[in-house]
Amino acid sequence: MKIMSLVGARPQFIKAAPIHRVVKRFKGACEHTLVHTGQHYDKNMSEVFFEELQLPKPTHNLNVGSAHHAVQTARIMEKLEPVLSSEKPDVLLVYGDTNSTLAGALTAIKCGVPIAHVEAGLRSFNFAMPEEVNRVLTDRISTVLFCPSKTAGKNLYDEGIRDCGADKPLPGRPRVSICGDVMYDHILFLANQIEAETQDQFLLTLHRDFNTDHPDRLKRILMAINDFANQAKMKVVFPIHPRTRKHLAKPESFASLEIIDPLSQREILTEVLKSRVVFTDSGGLQKEAFYLKKPTVILRPETEWTEILQTGAAVLVDDDPDRIQQEAMRYLDIPPMNFSKPYGDGRAAEFIIKQLMADFG
Ligand code: UD1
C-alpha cells in the first residue's frame, strides 16, 4: 500500500521520522513517500532536519514559501491536487496543526483520498490561534484520527467525532484511536545519542504570532527573562525563529540572551539537557523538555498538552513578567519530580502504521 506524508514545517519533519522508521520495517507491504509543501524552506528550518532525521528526499516539493495564511494554504492546495491525482496514495498522513496540515486535508478529501491525522484532538479552545482553526477543521474531515492522549480523544468525542467501529472507516464514519505521541517514540530513539556535561543555562524559544507580532508583548517577555537570567547569573540560549528575528527590535538590549540561528533537533535537545529551566511557546519543545525531565515556563495563556501542567512540570505564565520570574525561580529552587508518562509507551508510530495497513492495505 502507498502511504503519503505531507510535511512542510519543522515539527512535521520530526514527527514523520518515527513513522518512516517503522515503515522501513514493513518493507514490501508498505511504501512511504514524502511531499514537502515548502512552508519552511531555509536550510536550517528544513534541509538540516531531513539530513539529521535520515528522511528520504521528498518526491515532490511544492515550494510554496511564505505568504499570508489564505494564500499559503491556497497555494499548497493548488499544487497538491495534481500530485494526489497522479500518485493516488491509499492514504494521506497529515501532522499537527499548521497551514500545511489543513491544506493537505482539504485537498485530499476533495480528491477522494482518505486522511489520517497524527496529533488529532488537541485543543487550545482559542480560535484566535491559526493552529486551532487548522486542527479543528482537519479533524472534522479526517478518516482516521490518531490521538496522542486520552484528553485529545475526549475532545473529539465532545465535538461528535467518535469512533464508528466500521470495518472500513470513511469521512464522517471515522476511526479514532488513542495511540500516544510519535514525538515520545522519537525521543526514546534519540535518548542515548544526546548528553550534556553541565546544567548552567536557560533555553528560550518563541515563535507564535501572538508573541512575536506584538512589539510590546515581545519586549515584555524578553525583558522579564533577560532580567531573571541576569539575577541568576546564567545565560539564556535563544535559537531564534525567522519570524521572531524579523520582529525583534534592538536585540543588543537583552544582554543575557545569547541569540543564535535555529538549531537542528539533536542540537536543541542537547541545549534542553544543559538547561535548568526552559522558556517556550512551542508545543513540541514543551513535550521534549518534559520527556527530558526539565521544567518549562510556558509563554502562553493556555496549552493543548494539559497533562504536563497537571504533573507540575510546566506552568502557564502568558506574558506576565512577575509570573515569568517567580515561576522560573520556583523551578530553580525546587525542581519538579513528577515526570509521568501520559503520552503512550513509545510505540505510537508502530500503532499508526499497523492501523493504516489494516484499514487501507
Ligand atoms: C508555522 C506554524 C506553527 C508551527 C511553526 C513551527 C502555521 C499557521 N504555523 O509557524 O503552527 O508551530 O510553523 O515552526 O502553519 N520564515 C523564514 N524561513 C523559513 C520559514 C519561515 O524566513 O524557512 C519566516 C517567513 O518570514 C514567514 C515567517 O517566518 O513569513 C512565518 O513562517 P510560517 O511558516 O508562516 O509560520 P511559522 O511562524 O513558522
Side-chain angles (χ1 to χ4, degrees), residues 69-247:
H69 288 267
V71 173
Q72 191 176 54
T73 309
R75 276 188 193 151
I76 297 170
M77 292 181 67
E78 191 178 4
K79 292 186 164 183
L80 181 61
E81 188 170 40
V83 174
L84 293 181
S85 303
S86 64
E87 301 286 326
K88 297 188 177 46
D90 293 296
V91 60
L92 182 74
L93 259 181
V94 295
Y95 303 80
D97 55 20
T98 71
N99 290 342
S100 296
T101 313
L102 176 62
L106 283 172
T107 315
I109 194 158
K110 286 174 185 290
C111 293
V113 174
I115 304 154
H117 187 200
V118 176
E119 275 193 10
L122 292 178
R123 296 290 180 265
S124 66
F125 303 102
N126 174 1
F127 273 100
M129 286 178 73
E131 291 84 359
E132 183 73 355
V133 178
N134 293 341
R135 293 181 195 115
V136 168
L137 299 181
T138 300
D139 284 340
R140 186 66 185 85
I141 55 175
S142 289
T143 304
V144 187
L145 298 100
F146 295 108
C147 302
S149 65
K150 286 185 193 154
T151 312
K154 181 176 180 306
N155 290 338
L156 291 179
Y157 190 87
D158 292 346
E159 289 174 20
I161 302 173
R162 296 169 192 180
D163 188 277
C164 289
D167 281 350
K168 283 277 164 210
L170 296 165
R173 287 183 56 72
R175 172 146 1 260
V176 180
S177 313
I178 296 166
C179 65
D181 176 20
V182 290
M183 282 181 69
Y184 182 50
D185 300 14
H186 192 57
I187 284 276
L188 293 183
F189 174 76
L190 286 178
N192 52 10
Q193 300 176 35
I194 46 169
E195 57 184 0
E197 279 165 17
T198 52
Q199 293 180 39
D200 53 1
Q201 64 172 43
F202 304 109
L203 177 66
L204 165 65
T205 76
L206 203 67
H207 76 277
R208 298 278 177 192
D209 58 359
F210 55 78
N211 280 331
T212 58
D213 301 9
H214 301 278
D216 288 348
R217 192 178 158 104
L218 180 61
K219 193 171 159 197
R220 193 158 49 244
I221 291 173
L222 294 183
M223 200 57 94
I225 296 172
N226 184 67
D227 290 352
F228 173 75
N230 192 17
Q231 280 166 29
K233 297 194 172 39
M234 279 185 256
K235 68 175 179 183
V236 183
V237 174
F238 184 17
I240 197 163
H241 188 288
R243 172 197 279 285
T244 319
R245 193 184 281 283
K246 220 166 48 182
H247 287 90

Side-chain angles (χ1 to χ4, degrees), residues 15-58:
K15 289 165 200 166
I19 293 285
H20 190 70
R21 272 197 301 274
V22 170
V23 173
K24 282 204 281 196
R25 287 184 3 221
F26 291 97
K27 218 173 159 193
C30 186
E31 176 197 334
H32 183 223
T33 55
L34 289 175
V35 172
H36 191 332
T37 65
Q39 178 172 350
H40 286 176
Y41 46 87
D42 286 351
K43 187 171 194 296
N44 56 16
M45 296 289 285
S46 174
E47 204 179 313
V48 158
F49 287 82
F50 277 79
E51 285 164 11
E52 186 177 282
L53 297 164
Q54 297 182 340
L55 284 169
K57 203 170 153 8

Side-chain angles (χ1 to χ4, degrees), residues 277 295-297 312-315 326-336:
V277 178
T296 302
V297 172
V315 63
Q326 284 158 9
E327 296 296 347
M329 182 52 84
R330 188 171 61 81
Y331 281 143
L332 265 192
D333 286 346
I334 313 170

